Amino acid sequence: MRAMAYERFGGPEVLAETEVADPEAGPGQTLVHVEAAGVNFGDIKQIAGAHADGPYAPSGPFPRIPGMEVVGRTTAGRRVLGYVSQGGYAAKTVVADRDLIALPDAVSAGEALAVLVQGLTAWHLLRSVARIRPGETVVVHAAAGGTGSLLVQLARQFGAGRVIATASSEDKRALALGLGADAATDGDPEGYRERVLDANQGRPVDIILDATGGPVLDSALNTLGYLGRLVTYGTSSGQPAAAIAPSRLAVDTITVAGFWLIPLIARHGATGTALKELLDLTAHHHLRPLIGAQYDLGRACDAHEDLLGRRTQGKLILRP
């Protein structure tokens, strides 16, 4: 079968189109004929070897096939959405039954891929970690991205009193406003505090959801109010944040927390009530996942380059 694989760790250039043997499903697994595969920053980290020695790292010899999300059909013709630790960039893949869910006809392949890794991340950031309460102000960084665009919408669905988006361009800020944000501002760390407080009518904020890290995270801490929570779930800036003294957390009465979806899936699987809720919201048009560019499977390198270059909006999709 056709696949994109890598034989060493590196950047997008290590991905190459190849022919490999069809996978075979074992006990508790299902063979899926892939209609579309999602592209994530996690795929880029996977081929870079960022988690090569971690407890949730892909296993097995090279060559390896990246990709964590697939939509397709089982051999019996059932339309499904599935999570895999690796193997999604291929014409066929094997999915553990606990990570496979039937896909309603009302949800497109692109929408489904957008609400798997990125949608589950957004759901848990708000519900499980930040524990949003009705009426709270939520700040979403990188609000035009795959996860950020869903956070804006879900924050509104979950009762936020005010949603403030940050994004790097006028077009991206306009997109966030169209998705339901009450205000949108530049996310640059210089002048961040003043812009965000102004967007919140001069008041400190309750929740900040950050995938940027570095100086942006440092600036964001200065906008939290009493019992405020900042949740970090990425470091796309590639820069380290300053150390945070525990005494500051106590004096300011704020919380800094982290979240990564992969350990949660490893423990509990991908197809619980959160994913069902996300698919139901999408099927009934209460949630609008953004679908970005679609690429032929053989152009996976281009998809990775575009994602790294921040030239994308919404979910990127590969078509085998």
Side-chain angles (χ1 to χ4, degrees):
M1 68 172 184
R2 187 184 186 209
M4 292 296 289
Y6 60 106
E7 296 190 355
R8 58 185 173 86
F9 294 126
E13 73 282 352
V14 304
L15 282 173
E17 186 170 347
T18 186
E19 291 287 326
V20 298
D22 287 6
E24 295 184 4
Q29 296 178 324
T30 296
L31 179 68
V32 174
H33 299 255
V34 178
E35 170 191 342
V39 178
N40 290 286
F41 270 110
D43 304 338
I44 294 172
K45 292 182 178 180
Q46 191 176 85
I47 69 169
H51 303 299
D53 299 321
Y56 310 104
S59 59
F62 291 110
R64 294 176 180 172
I65 301 169
M68 298 185 285
E69 307 162 313
V70 295
V71 166
R73 293 190 180 274
T74 67
T75 303
R78 185 166 63 111
R79 188 167 183 251
V80 291
L81 168 65
Y83 170 84
V84 288
S85 62
Q86 61 182 344
Y89 289 11
K92 300 175 186 176
T93 194
V94 168
V95 183
D97 291 341
R98 75 168 193 166
D99 294 326
L100 196 67
I101 190 171
L103 188 58
D105 290 337
V107 180
S108 72
E111 290 172 330
L113 292 169
V115 301
L116 185 46
V117 170
Q118 291 163 329
L120 283 174
T121 295
W123 193 98
H124 284 288
L125 284 168
L126 287 163
R127 289 288 201 204
S128 304
V129 188
R131 300 187 182 183
I132 184 173
R133 294 186 290 263
E136 290 190 311
T137 297
V138 178
V139 180
V140 178
H141 293 172
T147 303
S149 61
L150 293 170
L151 280 168
V152 168
Q153 298 176 71
L154 289 175
R156 181 66 69 213
Q157 283 285 331
F158 296 165
R162 191 166 179 80
V163 180
I164 300 169
T166 76
S168 59
S169 70
E170 287 289 350
D171 287 347
K172 290 182 178 182
R173 292 191 284 273
L175 175 62
L177 291 170
L179 292 173
D182 297 288
T185 185
D186 191 338
D188 189 87
E190 185 69 30
Y192 175 99
R193 182 177 187 274
E194 292 74 16
R195 291 192 303 274
V196 170
L197 292 182
D198 183 64
N200 199 35
Q201 302 169 336
R203 299 188 302 270
V205 303
D206 300 298
I207 295 171
I208 300 172
L209 304 169
D210 174 59
T212 306
V216 172
L217 188 151
D218 298 335
S219 299
L221 278 174
N222 295 323
T223 68
L224 285 174
Y226 178 73
L227 294 178
R229 290 91 75 201
L230 185 151
V231 187
T232 173
Y233 66 101
T235 54
S236 63
S237 70
Q239 301 178 66
I244 302 170
S247 59
R248 178 184 179 183
L249 302 180
V251 170
D252 293 347
T253 319
I254 59 175
T255 297
V256 177
F259 179 72
W260 184 27
L261 181 68
I262 304 308
L264 184 146
I265 290 179
R267 287 171 170 80
H268 305 294
T271 57
T273 57
L275 184 58
K276 291 177 182 177
E277 180 180 352
L278 290 166
L279 290 173
D280 185 67
L281 286 169
T282 302
H284 290 89
H285 308 295
H286 300 308
L287 184 65
R288 180 163 67 93
L290 297 183
I291 311 305
Q294 300 193 32
Y295 306 76
D296 179 79
L297 179 64
R299 294 185 57 219
C301 300
D302 295 337
H304 283 206
E305 292 283 7
D306 288 344
L307 192 59
L308 284 167
R310 299 176 181 250
R311 294 186 291 269
T312 67
Q313 293 182 7
K315 188 66 184 178
L316 303 189
I317 298 167
L318 301 177
R319 296 281 186 176

